[in-house]
């Protein structure tokens, strides 16, 4: 499948020179073998810095691994990358996704029923990440991380080139271990702030979050909504008073109009999840799903200047 | 003449190390654990003799500490959207527990509406049944939580939390339910206090507890079937959490057990601790001292914590929790979390839980819907880890036998959940010295279980 790399990619100096030191400390031979290719994508922070220089807003798709199957997920990652994703969030399927609405819940159920598990997702990533130009962040609940042990989990995911992590059921005060292990492995731990978060707490979260600050647009779980709440605009203004870190808005965003609106309100990034997951998972065939995904994603991208 | 049957905690052995609570309070008390081989001729009085040099002591830390942890367990592993509501809840609970007017109102409702205090009943024929050939044996007492309004201990917590919700100005109540007892208790208090009530129940559970579904609806609650995941309690809990995330500003979530994020494990325990407090007074009236052994079934663990909490610092009192072994713990079809589980995070708390190799939460099995939960309250995980409480499990078949046995021997039809605690007496009683005072929490009555029992019992 032909795909175009982001033009920025070619303009960069050899990546190894500008990589953070932690990436060079790979211990296993497998990771060392891939370190050359892994080093070709920027970290999340760097991605946002670059976009800011260009005056651009990041478009960040979210898809669920293993739905309808891992081969399709792999293809979808390439499609999204080639269509101009600045960062891709990949959700790990989980039995009890308490922050997810019916669309992503259903995707998890389908993926798990097919036997998708951590190891198979990692294998898939090992093959596809070297072919991607944008960084990947994993979205996973805490228990599967604990199952492997935080340190081991970080080593494995870094080994396949993951740059970031979002763990929705670990609030700010419980992030100590996650954050230190992530940092040791060169992974950025993105933290979430929501409309119910008091200002002082939001500041602390903004300070602690790495990569970007994930602003949840509404009080609720994931899932497409008809419109984006006005509250997002004031929340964005409030956060931006306290930090210069990039802020991306997610949850409920499902139309090009939403993307445009949020970009106009000053967000540095827009995250679209359920709308894409539904296209991929509920279409008549994987090929059809990928076509729909590409078409829809391009319409979202077109909404950004 | 009593033989040298030991009352010792069989979980304790030489060289066992106990993880000490991270934030041990200077006010924490010391538990003395007997060494193997140390025998007890008869149950000792609640003595204040100093422990001998040969005995190991383990400090019990704060339960919980100010971060909501019991040792390494507990915490608040929930989406950020809920964090403010949890701290609001914690503050409200702390304030109200010192508020005399609130306590008076709560006591009044527990007395006049719930029907407390519940009797501590000497089970004469059950005791006789376990008497040995030489005439010795333990004395068995049942704490009659089945006599509460709605037929189980669940109402203690539902009433407390409903009052709290009213003080918080929340008009909409949600709850999860497994057996339906907590759902019924919640629907009951919502009717009593005029609150909107939505109960999440697994579609599979709705089938096996149809009587309770009807009762909830009759009481004015909306019962929403949960079709995701395994369609049982764990999925109902996940869905209730999602509802709370979505409606947190108007809604209070009445969690039904000592599980979930802080402050729930502590709060639910405190609302149930009246069980243990009454037991202490009743035991003193009846036989002049504290009980020797406490036995309770453990699903999430609320009735057990309600009975145990009062006695955790009483080193002489043995605490025994009984979980559901379903088809047997080797079968993979059970809910014996503390025996077979591993530490992880579920529904907001770090605790033991049943999970597969991939870290996915598994579907447990028990004939009793109320024990069919793959997690367990974090305080139980802590008490197990420090060796303060012992946990065993009992199969569906053994529970059904006990269900029948209590009905026949005492004319009390117990809930299938409670039957698990009763079934453990088979193994426990032969080991207990003469005159040992055992209090078993009769956590619920079994009317709700007759449809299930009909399928399994030939009468």
């Amino acid at each position: 499948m032909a795909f175009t790399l982001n033009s920025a990619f070619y303009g960069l100096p050899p990546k190894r020179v500008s990589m953070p030191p932690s990436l060079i400390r790979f211990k296993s031979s497998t990771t060392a073998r891939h370190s050359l290719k892994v080093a070709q994508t920027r970290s999340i922070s760097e991605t946002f810095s670059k976009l800011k220089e260009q005056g651009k807003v990041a478009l960040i798709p979210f898809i669920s691994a293993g739905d309808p199957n891992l081969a399709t997920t792999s293809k979808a990652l390439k499609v999204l990358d080639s269509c101009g994703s600045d960062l891709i969030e990949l959700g790990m399927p989980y039995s009890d996704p308490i922050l997810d609405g019916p669309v992503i819940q259903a995707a998890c159920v389908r993926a798990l029923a097919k036997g998708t598990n951590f190891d198979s997702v990692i294998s898939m990533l090992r093959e596809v990440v070297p072919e991607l130009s944008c960084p990947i962040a994993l979205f996973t609940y805490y228990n599967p991380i604990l199952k492997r042990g935080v340190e081991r989990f970080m080593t494995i995911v870094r080994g396949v080139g993951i740059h970031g992590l979002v763990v929705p059921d670990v609030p700010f005060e419980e992030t100590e271990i996650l954050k230190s292990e992530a940092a040791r492995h060169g992974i950025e731990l993105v933290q979430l702030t929501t409309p119910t978060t008091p200002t002082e707490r939001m500041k602390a979260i903004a300070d602690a979050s790495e990569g970007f600050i994930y602003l949840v647009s509404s009080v609720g779980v994931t899932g497409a909504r008809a419109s984006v709440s006005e509250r997002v605009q004031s929340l964005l203004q409030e956060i931006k008073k306290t930090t210069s870190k990039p802020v991306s808005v997610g949850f409920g965003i499902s139309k090009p109009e939403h993307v445009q609106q949020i970009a106009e309100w000053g967000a540095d990034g827009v995250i679209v999840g359920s709308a894409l997951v539904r296209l991929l998972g509920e279409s008549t065939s994987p090929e059809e799903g990928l076509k729909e995904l590409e078409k829809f994603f391009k319409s979202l991208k077109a909404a950004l200047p | 003449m009593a033989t040298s049957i030991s009352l010792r905690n069989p979980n304790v052995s030489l060289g066992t190390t106990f993880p000490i609570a991270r934030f041990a309070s200077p006010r924490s008390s010391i538990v003395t654990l007997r060494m193997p081989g140390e025998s007890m001729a008869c149950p000792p009085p609640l003595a204040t003799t100093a422990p001998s040099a040969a005995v190991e002591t383990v400090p019990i830390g704060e339960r919980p500490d100010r971060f909501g942890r019991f040792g390494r367990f507990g915490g608040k592993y929930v989406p950020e959207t809920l964090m403010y509501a949890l701290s609001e809840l914690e503050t409200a609970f702390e304030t109200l527990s010192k508020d005399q007017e609130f306590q008076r109102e709560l006591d009044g409702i527990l007395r006049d509406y719930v029907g407390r205090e519940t009797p501590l009943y000497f089970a004469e024929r059950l005791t006789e049944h376990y008497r040995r050939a030489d005439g010795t044996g333990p004395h068995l007492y049942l704490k009659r939580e089945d006599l509460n309004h709605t037929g189980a201990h669940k109402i203690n917590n539902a009433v407390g939390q409903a009052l709290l919700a009213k003080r918080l100005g929340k008009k909409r109540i949600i709850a999860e339910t497994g057996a339906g007892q907590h759902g019924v208790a919640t629907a009951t208090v919502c009717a009593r206090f005029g609150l909107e009530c939505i109960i999440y129940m697994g579609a599979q559970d709705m089938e096996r507890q149809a009587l309770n579904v009807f009762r909830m609806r009759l009481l004015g609650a909306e019962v929403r079937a949960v079709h995701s995941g395994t369609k049982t309690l764990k999925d109902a809990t996940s869905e209730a959490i999602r509802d709370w995330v979505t409606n947190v500003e108007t809604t209070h979530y009445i969690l039904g057990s000592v599980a979930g994020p802080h402050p729930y494990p502590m709060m639910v325990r405190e609302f149930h601790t009246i069980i243990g407090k009454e037991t202490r007074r009743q035991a003193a009236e009846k036989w002049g001292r504290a009980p020797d052994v406490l036995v309770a079934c453990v699903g999430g663990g609320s009735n057990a914590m309600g009975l145990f909490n009062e006695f955790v610092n009483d080193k002489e009192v043995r605490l025994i929790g009984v979980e559901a072994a379903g088809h047997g713990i080797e079968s993979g079809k059970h809910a014996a979390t503390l025996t077979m589980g591993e530490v992880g995070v579920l529904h907001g708390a770090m605790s033991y839980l049943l999970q597969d190799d991939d870290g996915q939460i598994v579907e447990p099995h028990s004939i009793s819907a109320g024990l069919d939960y793959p997690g367990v309250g974090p305080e139980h995980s802590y008490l197990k880890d420090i060796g303060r409480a012992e946990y065993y499990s009992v199969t569906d078949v053994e529970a059904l036998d006990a269900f029948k046995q209590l009905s026949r021997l005492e004319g009390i039809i117990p809930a299938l959940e409670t039957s698990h605690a009763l079934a453990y007496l088979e193994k426990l009683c032969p080991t207990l010295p003469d005159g040992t005072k055992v209090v078993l929490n009769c956590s619920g009555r079994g009317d709700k279980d007759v449809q299930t029992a009909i399928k399994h019992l030939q009468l």
Side-chain angles (χ1 to χ4, degrees):
Chain A
M1 169 194 296
F3 59 92
T4 49
L5 293 169
N6 286 340
S7 57
F9 179 82
Y10 288 113
L12 294 168
K15 268 301 154 190
R16 269 172 297 161
V17 174
S18 54
M19 276 296 106
S22 55
L23 277 180
I24 299 170
R25 272 192 251 115
F26 287 126
K27 287 173 184 137
S28 79
S29 59
T30 333
T31 53
R33 180 157 52 83
H34 285 284
S35 66
L36 225 191
K37 295 203 170 166
V38 157
Q40 284 169 350
T41 52
R42 286 192 202 93
S43 74
I44 298 171
S45 304
E46 290 167 347
T47 301
F48 275 99
S49 297
K50 192 76 195 174
L51 286 167
K52 189 163 181 180
E53 276 171 34
Q54 299 165 337
K56 287 188 177 165
V57 174
L59 185 56
I60 304 167
F62 167 103
I63 55 170
S64 279
D67 182 48
N69 54 55
L70 280 172
T72 306
T73 303
S74 179
K75 290 183 188 142
L77 288 171
K78 291 193 262 196
V79 164
L80 291 167
D81 184 38
S82 70
C83 291
S85 297
D86 299 292
L87 162 68
I88 304 175
E89 256 191 79
L90 184 65
M92 300 289 284
Y94 184 53
S95 56
D96 289 81
I98 56 175
L99 195 54
D100 286 305
V103 170
I104 296 177
Q105 279 178 53
C108 288
V109 169
R110 287 190 295 262
L112 289 171
K114 283 232 155 68
T116 312
N117 58 30
F118 179 74
D119 291 338
S120 61
V121 176
I122 292 295
S123 296
M124 182 270 295
L125 288 170
R126 184 169 290 122
E127 296 307 314
V128 79
V129 168
E131 300 180 45
L132 302 173
S133 64
C134 70
I136 308 276
L138 276 187
F139 183 105
T140 173
Y141 289 85
Y142 200 28
N143 199 59
I145 299 179
L146 286 174
K147 177 73 188 181
R148 273 136 202 112
V150 181
E151 203 265 331
R152 194 164 153 254
F153 177 89
M154 297 297 174
T155 306
I156 295 171
V157 307
R158 195 69 193 94
V160 293
I162 298 300
H163 280 283
L165 194 59
V166 184
V167 190
D169 57 348
V170 178
F172 166 66
E173 43 274 88
E174 305 281 11
T175 51
E176 201 188 311
I177 293 171
L178 258 185
K179 204 166 170 223
S180 63
E181 284 301 329
R184 275 202 327 121
H185 290 79
I187 292 173
E188 294 181 294
L189 183 67
V190 174
Q191 297 196 37
L192 292 88
T193 181
T194 74
T196 59
T197 307
T199 313
E200 280 310 305
R201 188 181 166 84
M202 182 200 66
K203 282 190 199 150
I205 292 172
D207 270 338
S209 191
E210 296 162 341
F212 65 91
I213 298 157
Y214 195 135
L215 172 60
V216 175
S217 69
S218 45
V219 178
V221 299
T222 63
R225 286 152 172 88
S227 59
V228 186
S229 161
E230 290 284 322
R231 241 163 138 184
V232 174
Q233 185 178 22
S234 50
L235 284 166
L236 269 170
Q237 283 163 355
E238 232 186 282
I239 299 181
K240 284 190 164 284
K241 276 188 221 151
T242 70
T243 182
S244 57
K245 280 188 196 165
V247 182
S248 299
V249 181
F251 279 45
I253 299 159
S254 53
K255 296 184 189 143
E257 303 87 82
H258 298 164
V259 172
Q260 188 179 13
Q261 179 72 90
I262 289 172
E264 279 169 15
W265 282 340
D268 304 289
V270 186
I271 301 162
V272 181
S274 298
L276 300 172
V277 172
R278 175 182 267 140
L279 284 176
L280 259 186
E282 297 179 13
S283 68
T284 48
S285 73
E287 293 70 39
E288 202 45 47
L290 286 166
K291 278 204 202 104
E292 300 277 310
L293 179 78
E294 187 169 351
K295 188 164 148 214
F296 181 67
F297 188 78
K298 281 181 171 157
S299 75
L300 296 173
K301 188 78 183 173
L304 288 171
Chain B
M1 180 58 208
T3 53
S4 60
I5 298 169
S6 171
L7 265 185
R8 69 173 175 83
N9 181 337
N11 285 349
V12 180
S13 59
L14 271 167
T16 310
T17 52
F18 302 96
I20 305 301
R22 259 201 312 155
F23 302 98
S25 155
R27 288 172 282 113
S28 65
S29 55
I30 310 293
V31 164
T32 305
L33 302 163
R34 293 185 196 83
M35 302 299 276
E38 201 181 307
S39 70
M40 305 294 302
C42 61
L46 192 61
T48 50
T49 49
S52 69
V55 176
E56 255 185 77
T57 55
V58 172
I60 298 180
E62 278 184 287
R63 299 184 296 118
D65 65 23
R66 62 188 182 87
F67 299 99
R69 309 204 84 96
F70 302 88
R72 61 182 167 138
F73 302 105
K76 300 183 194 182
Y77 292 94
V78 292
E80 172 59 29
T81 317
L82 294 177
M83 292 303 287
Y84 181 69
L86 287 176
S87 68
E88 192 186 45
L89 197 53
E90 193 181 344
T91 307
F93 180 73
E94 259 165 60
T95 311
L96 290 174
S97 43
K98 297 185 197 115
D99 182 332
Q100 301 283 36
E101 208 201 296
F102 179 83
Q103 292 305 318
R104 253 198 309 273
E105 195 183 353
L106 181 57
D107 287 343
I109 295 167
L110 288 171
R111 189 184 55 242
D112 298 334
Y113 185 70
V114 174
R116 299 208 73 93
E117 58 177 49
T118 57
L120 183 63
Y121 165 71
F122 175 57
E124 191 184 343
R125 293 192 64 213
L126 193 66
T127 298
E128 193 189 316
H129 175 79
Y130 288 111
R131 197 166 288 140
R132 296 179 276 263
D134 63 0
T136 63
H139 299 164
L140 307 177
Y141 293 79
L142 299 174
K143 181 60 174 152
R144 302 294 306 279
E145 291 301 297
D146 59 303
L147 291 176
N148 285 319
H149 178 41
T150 68
H153 70 291
K154 294 289 182 189
I155 192 128
N156 301 323
N157 170 54
V159 160
Q161 287 204 46
L163 273 183
L164 196 136
K166 285 207 90 172
R167 290 295 184 105
L168 284 170
K170 304 271 168 112
K171 300 222 163 44
R172 181 177 180 269
I173 301 292
I174 59 173
E176 85 294 342
T177 195
Q181 283 309 119
H182 174 60
V184 168
T186 305
T188 301
V189 303
C190 287
R192 167 69 184 74
F193 293 107
L195 300 163
E196 185 191 349
C197 184
I198 290 142
I199 309 288
Y200 288 96
M201 193 170 186
Q204 204 195 111
D205 286 340
M206 285 175 75
E207 265 186 50
R208 51 182 170 170
Q209 302 282 195
L211 168 67
N212 275 341
V213 175
F214 178 75
R215 285 160 81 194
M216 286 184 263
R217 290 180 170 147
L218 183 59
L219 291 161
E222 183 192 333
V223 182
R224 292 189 186 168
V226 177
H227 292 280
S228 56
T230 61
K231 310 190 209 305
T232 55
L233 178 54
K234 80 162 175 82
D235 312 286
T237 310
S238 297
E239 197 57 29
I241 292 174
R242 291 184 193 106
D243 183 312
W244 202 30
V245 170
T246 310
N247 298 297
V248 66
E249 287 157 326
T250 58
T251 301
H252 177 61
Y253 175 20
I254 298 188
L255 224 163
S257 194
V258 287
H262 181 65
Y264 283 104
M266 171 200 72
M267 199 167 69
V268 175
R269 176 196 75 199
E270 288 304 307
F271 285 133
H272 282 303
T273 205
I274 186 144
I275 302 173
K277 286 194 153 89
E278 286 176 2
T279 302
R280 185 189 284 289
R281 196 183 348 111
Q282 290 162 326
E285 277 164 19
K286 287 188 185 324
W287 65 79
R289 57 181 175 78
D292 300 307
V293 187
L294 301 177
V295 186
C297 63
V298 175
S302 61
N303 89 85
M305 274 324 301
L307 181 62
F308 293 175
N309 187 48
E310 175 67 18
F311 299 98
V312 168
N313 296 331
D314 285 39
K315 54 194 180 182
E316 309 298 330
V317 180
R318 201 171 149 195
L319 310 176
I320 297 179
V322 187
E323 293 186 301
H327 293 173
I329 56 177
E330 301 305 333
S331 71
K333 293 204 147 303
H334 61 81
T337 312
L338 289 164
T339 307
M340 303 298 282
E342 290 168 51
V343 179
V345 162
L346 176 64
H347 298 144
M350 182 161 307
S351 194
Y352 280 98
L353 52 103
L354 296 173
Q355 51 184 300
D356 67 13
D357 289 333
D358 199 41
Q360 308 293 338
I361 313 300
V362 300
E363 178 184 356
H365 166 78
S366 170
I367 194 171
S368 64
L371 300 185
D372 205 354
Y373 183 62
V376 73
E379 193 165 5
H380 283 292
S381 296
Y382 176 61
L383 293 177
K384 175 190 154 88
D385 257 24
I386 62 169
R388 177 62 189 96
E390 310 155 49
Y391 298 91
Y392 305 103
S393 61
V394 136
T395 63
D396 288 350
V397 167
E398 290 168 321
L400 280 164
D401 283 342
F403 176 83
K404 218 166 79 177
Q405 183 175 267
L406 192 73
S407 304
R408 294 263 157 100
L409 289 177
E410 294 287 349
I412 298 171
I413 301 176
L416 281 174
E417 291 77 12
T418 311
S419 303
H420 285 73
L422 289 161
Y424 189 66
L425 293 175
E426 290 289 303
K427 301 199 179 82
L428 178 66
C429 292
T431 70
L432 297 177
D434 189 38
T436 307
K437 301 291 190 192
V438 178
V439 172
L440 188 144
N441 210 8
C442 192
S443 51
R445 63 172 189 248
D447 304 60
K448 66 181 179 67
D449 294 312
V450 291
Q451 281 168 309
T452 307
I454 284 169
K455 287 190 210 149
H456 292 93
L457 292 178
Q458 303 292 6
L459 294 175

